[in-house]
């Protein structure tokens, strides 16, 4: 158990931090624990797969907020935004 104002780091037993580091998130139902994001996410919110920023060489599929290494059919990877955008 962490002291008041600190968060428990889910995958590191006994580790308490004052804020979640990159690659971790808190859930609105339990904001005392830092949960690990999916390995493809640099940052995520409320769920391990709800990526807000992708790791290097990954692209965000805006339909699902999941980071992918290749956009689905009908989409292309925009290098500037690192997002899958719909083809015209």
């Amino acid at each position: 158990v962490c002291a008041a104002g600190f968060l428990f780091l889910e995958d590191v037993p006994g580790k308490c931090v004052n804020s979640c580091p990159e690659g971790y998130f808190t859930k609105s139902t339990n904001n005392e624990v830092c949960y690990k994001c999916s390995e493809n996410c640099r940052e995520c919110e409320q769920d391990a797969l709800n990526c807000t920023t992708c790791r290097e060489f990954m692209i965000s599929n805006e339909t699902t907020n999941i980071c992918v290494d290749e956009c689905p059919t009908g989409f292309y990877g925009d290098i500037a935004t690192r997002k899958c955008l719909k083809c015209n």
Side-chain angles (χ1 to χ4, degrees), residues 10 25-35 45-48:
E10 173 193 38
F25 68 100
T26 58
K27 295 181 182 179
S28 58
T29 56
N30 184 0
N31 61 3
E32 297 175 355
V33 177
C34 293
Y35 297 94
E45 290 181 347
Q46 297 298 320
D47 185 280

Side-chain angles (χ1 to χ4, degrees), residues 69-88:
D69 56 3
E70 183 176 299
C71 294
T73 303
F75 290 79
Y76 69 95
D78 182 70
I79 296 170
T81 63
R82 298 180 53 95
K83 295 185 183 293
C84 292
L85 302 177
K86 192 168 181 73
C87 296
N88 290 332

Side-chain angles (χ1 to χ4, degrees), residues 9-29:
L9 208 54
E10 173 193 38
D11 62 337
V12 183
K15 177 81 172 179
C16 297
V17 294
N18 59 0
S19 64
C20 293
E22 183 177 280
Y24 290 82
F25 68 100
T26 58
K27 295 181 182 179
S28 58
T29 56

Side-chain angles (χ1 to χ4, degrees), residues 29-43:
T29 56
N30 184 0
N31 61 3
E32 297 175 355
V33 177
C34 293
Y35 297 94
K36 192 161 182 60
C37 296
S38 160
E39 64 181 29
N40 295 336
C41 299
R42 178 174 286 147
E43 297 175 331

